[in-house]
Amino acid sequence: MKYQLSIVIALSALFFSCNTSSEGGKNEEKKRPNILFIMSDDHAYQAISAYNNKLIETPNIDRIAKKGMLFTNASVTNSICAPSRAVILTGKHSHINGKVDNQHPFDTTQVTFPQLFQKAGYETAMFGKLHFGNNPKGFDEFKILPGQGAYYNPEFITKKEGNVTIQGYVTDIITDMTLNWFQKERDTTKPFLMMYLHKAPHREWLPALRHIEKFTSQEYPEPETLFDDYEGRGTAAKTAEMSILKHMNYSGDNKIVPEIVEELGITTDSLWNPGGFAREIGRMTPEQRAAWDSIYMPINEDFKKRFASMDSVELMKWRYQRYMQDYLGSIAAVDENVGRVLDYLEESGLADNTIVVYTSDQGFYLGEHGWFDKRFVYDESFKTPLLVQWPGVIEEGSKNTQMVQNLDFAPTFLEAAGIEIPNDMQGESLIPLFKGDTENFRNAAYYHYYEYPGIHSVKRHYAIVTEEYKLIHFYYDVDEWELYDRKKDPKELKNVYNDPEYAEVKEKLHEDLKALRKKYKDSKELDQKYIDQYENGGH
Ligand code: SGN
Ligand code: CA
């Protein structure tokens, strides 16, 4: 009797478990999670209030961390746009996928994870910035910006309608496309993979008209290292061209109209950039331009009056404030629009079975070391924001401190969807971390940056990063090593490579770096191959 009863219980358990997940016979379909991958461009973790609210409140992006997990040590393998995207799509380091810099096109004969999703029955879509120089493969639908794209009235390359120009503000438009696809176009019998990719807050930092007034009327706290003199570091930090004071331009970046810059006599090309101004502000309709002028022209007039009397300290402070006003202002629309998409997922019930990721293609300097831009393995550009929600799998409000990388997205998503992970992918699945299992994860990250000589002049370098240390080799036209003690010197101001106290640490890190290069199949030969490609590639 007892035996019979347990069979009945077992059978009915089986029946109910099938039944609850079956709905119309779509048994498997129901269980596979949807994936919403949200990525912005150059969004520093310092500008997300889930990390730190000194600069801005981002209540909507923060919702993802409240419902899920905040990663405090997420990083990229190569801190620059198109290479980061190639790493994400292939699950392979730059030296393997070949997209080492922004210039050389991505090799589209490679397998990318969306192709595998499409083959496995997912419906796939991409809206926004890709920046590959060619179209994405494996997408049922895409609308992407050509190259960097424009903030106002942008053009899109579309899969089905050729090139189209759409009136409005880019962050709103990309979101409208995404929501329209969710609401009207998607095949609801299939799970989806959505790549929702913002251009903002990329240079030249143009906020939506509705946000300009608020953000230009605030003053932002300066980072401690705004006036860094680069003592204690090597040649690379000293020769990089990304100083807010010396390399930011007045028209494109600071929004001083070309005529006033010319009148003030600050017309060295790199400091002026009337072309950058025309490329962005020049796209506005007369109405948009009038609204823009009503706020920026008084700023222009004020600058014109004060410029002659400003010393370099005042000028740096002024330029930093101008930078933050526009940079943070352009994040406001990202946050609002992420909120619209999260609301839709919740209202439609899709949120329960959707993995939502918010990240950036890399970090960014917001005045730390006096800089803007990225590229270096130093923390602000090496690290990137990462927030993930997955109801039922990730505990609400949880945190992870491990060294996850953008390399890990492809294997993570494939595993979540039950699709086989190709053997040659180099990332590690984050699913155990989502579930709170932090054993056996990587304890050292590998980094390699290539785009030199080039804009911003950041020298080629590769590095090993552990929780405690960072060992960096700058090469090509220098041969310099740097070692940072991340615990004692979190701002990375003192290279201790030649400090005898670190002799043992240094030796061990050299060995570990060698092993890491071997593990990921990077080598001197490949360093040289990419130098040759660069030198022969007609830049
Ligand atoms: C543009 C920017 C650079 C930026 C690169 C790469 N200049 O060239 O400041 O480093 O893009 O950025 S701009 O005046 O034209 O905006 S990336 O995010 O695409 O890698
Ligand atoms: Ca970028």
Side-chain angles (χ1 to χ4, degrees):
M1 185 63 195
K2 234 185 184 173
Y3 177 62
Q4 275 179 344
L5 190 67
S6 55
I7 289 182
V8 171
I9 291 171
L11 282 177
S12 52
L14 194 67
F15 172 79
F16 282 116
S17 72
C18 291
N19 208 30
T20 45
S21 61
S22 79
E23 271 182 28
K26 290 252 170 249
N27 201 347
E28 278 310 299
E29 298 292 80
K30 203 52 196 158
K31 276 193 272 173
R32 293 194 289 176
N34 303 302
I35 291 168
L36 167 62
F37 182 77
I38 314 173
M39 186 161 77
S40 46
D41 194 346
D42 294 357
H43 192 172
Y45 58 87
Q46 308 92 298
I48 292 182
S49 46
Y51 287 95
N52 180 335
N53 68 354
K54 267 194 230 157
L55 292 171
I56 190 172
E57 293 293 340
T58 50
N60 290 297
I61 296 171
D62 295 3
R63 279 161 68 181
I64 302 171
K66 282 204 186 107
K67 254 199 139 175
M69 191 173 265
L70 181 75
F71 288 83
T72 57
N73 268 312
S75 64
V76 295
T77 65
N78 181 2
S79 182
I80 181 152
C81 188
S84 165
R85 290 155 204 267
V87 168
I88 291 169
L89 290 175
T90 61
K92 295 174 186 167
H93 274 279
S94 304
H95 60 273
I96 301 290
N97 73 47
K99 181 78 181 135
V100 298
D101 57 35
N102 270 343
Q103 273 73 34
H104 291 85
F106 176 69
D107 169 7
T108 56
T109 62
Q110 302 183 79
V111 173
T112 58
F113 85 82
Q115 289 169 274
L116 302 175
F117 268 68
Q118 195 181 38
K119 247 190 234 154
Y122 268 72
E123 198 180 21
T124 55
M126 176 188 279
F127 298 111
K129 180 169 173 183
L130 177 63
H131 196 198
F132 264 12
N134 41 43
N135 293 343
K137 279 195 173 164
F139 287 92
D140 297 310
E141 172 65 317
F142 66 75
K143 292 181 180 166
I144 57 169
L145 296 162
Q148 298 281 11
Y151 274 100
Y152 279 86
N153 314 320
E155 195 186 3
F156 285 84
I157 301 166
T158 73
K159 181 164 178 168
K160 295 170 187 160
E161 302 146 40
N163 284 22
V164 294
T165 298
I166 302 177
Q167 292 286 301
Y169 182 68
V170 70
T171 308
D172 300 335
I173 297 170
I174 294 169
T175 310
D176 292 345
M177 287 171 171
T178 302
L179 286 173
N180 185 62
W181 189 83
F182 277 144
Q183 289 164 340
K184 301 195 187 132
E185 293 178 2
R186 95 181 173 91
D187 175 351
T188 53
T189 63
K190 289 180 172 181
F192 65 77
L193 163 69
M194 162 63 76
M195 301 196 81
Y196 163 50
L197 310 172
H198 285 296
K199 167 190 170 62
H202 190 272
R203 197 180 182 189
E204 285 124 342
W205 319 301
L206 268 70
L209 294 172
R210 63 184 181 279
H211 292 130
I212 298 174
E213 193 167 7
K214 175 176 170 196
F215 283 85
T216 52
S217 55
Q218 285 176 22
E219 199 172 318
Y220 301 94
E222 292 170 2
E224 274 176 42
T225 57
L226 185 63
F227 292 94
D228 196 348
D229 60 6
Y230 314 114
E231 275 315 301
R233 270 141 296 157
T235 311
K238 296 183 177 99
T239 55
E241 295 177 358
M242 42 200 239
S243 148
I244 292 174
L245 180 66
K246 296 187 186 142
H247 306 107
M248 202 171 248
N249 62 69
Y250 282 95
S251 280
D253 294 331
N254 290 160
K255 320 294 183 317
I256 298 301
V257 296
E259 304 76 52
I260 293 187
V261 179
E262 201 174 15
E263 209 181 311
L264 295 173
I266 22 180
T267 51
T268 349
D269 201 33
S270 63
L271 282 179
W272 188 18
N273 197 13
F277 186 86
R279 193 177 64 224
E280 286 286 6
I281 313 289
R283 295 184 68 86
M284 290 181 175
T285 62
E287 294 74 30
Q288 289 166 341
R289 181 64 198 260
W292 190 90
D293 277 354
S294 73
I295 297 167
Y296 281 97
M297 285 321 287
I299 296 175
N300 268 261
E301 292 303 331
D302 178 62
F303 180 70
K304 194 170 132 181
K305 265 190 243 141
R306 289 172 50 199
F307 176 68
S309 67
M310 283 164 118
D311 62 18
S312 64
V313 171
E314 279 170 294
L315 203 51
M316 176 58 139
K317 285 172 172 278
W318 182 87
R319 302 196 85 178
Y320 168 74
Q321 292 300 331
R322 270 297 27 261
Y323 169 35
M324 282 304 96
Q325 289 166 2
D326 293 346
Y327 178 87
L328 299 170
S330 61
I331 288 169
V334 174
D335 189 68
E336 269 178 13
N337 279 291
V338 165
R340 289 171 67 201
V341 175
L342 294 179
D343 286 349
Y344 173 74
L345 287 187
E346 276 160 29
E347 284 154 17
S348 63
L350 284 167
D352 292 343
N353 193 33
T354 300
I355 303 175
V356 180
V357 171
Y358 186 89
T359 190
S360 169
D361 61 342
Q362 11 66 207
F364 213 66
Y365 295 97
L366 304 185
E368 299 87 359
H369 309 294
W371 287 336
F372 65 105
D373 214 68
K374 54 257 178 178
R375 299 160 193 272
F376 277 110
V377 71
Y378 304 137
D379 264 15
E380 291 80 3
S381 51
F382 167 64
K383 284 168 63 172
T384 197
L386 178 60
L387 304 83
V388 186
Q389 73 180 49
W390 188 3
V393 177
I394 298 179
E395 199 186 318
E396 291 194 4
S398 51
K399 248 190 199 167
N400 178 288
T401 58
Q402 275 162 310
M403 284 192 292
V404 305
Q405 296 205 278
N406 56 349
L407 189 66
D408 303 328
F409 288 129
T412 303
F413 297 152
L414 289 166
E415 187 182 331
I419 305 169
E420 200 179 319
I421 304 169
N423 285 334
D424 57 354
M425 280 197 177
Q426 297 181 305
E428 295 181 36
S429 167
L430 303 180
I431 292 182
L433 276 51
F434 291 166
K435 294 178 176 162
D437 173 6
T438 54
E439 299 285 304
N440 304 321
F441 199 73
R442 78 165 62 79
N443 52 21
Y446 181 61
Y447 183 88
H448 201 154
Y449 171 79
Y450 298 83
E451 197 176 274
Y452 179 88
I455 185 168
H456 299 299
S457 259
V458 173
K459 293 190 188 295
R460 286 170 190 251
H461 58 293
Y462 56 82
I464 178 173
V465 184
T466 68
E467 230 176 87
E468 278 181 281
Y469 302 106
K470 208 175 266 187
L471 176 69
I472 315 167
H473 185 211
F474 290 95
Y475 68 99
Y476 184 65
D477 56 355
V478 286
D479 179 8
E480 290 182 16
W481 289 87
E482 294 185 10
L483 172 63
Y484 293 92
D485 184 328
R486 302 184 77 197
K487 294 263 149 83
K488 284 198 189 138
D489 177 25
K491 296 204 162 57
E492 299 167 307
L493 298 174
K494 194 167 184 287
N495 171 19
V496 293
Y497 189 78
N498 291 319
D499 182 337
E501 254 185 52
Y502 289 86
E504 250 172 64
V505 166
K506 182 166 94 180
E507 198 178 319
K508 169 87 171 64
L509 283 167
H510 269 294
E511 271 168 34
D512 292 348
L513 175 58
K514 217 188 244 171
L516 213 49
R517 274 177 54 96
K518 195 162 175 212
K519 171 181 165 191
Y520 287 126
K521 302 188 167 59
D522 203 1
S523 61
K524 277 205 157 125
E525 290 70 35
L526 280 178
D527 300 348
Q528 191 56 46
K529 172 185 151 181
Y530 290 118
I531 289 172
D532 293 345
Q533 170 182 297
Y534 197 85
E535 288 177 344
N536 303 328
H539 280 270

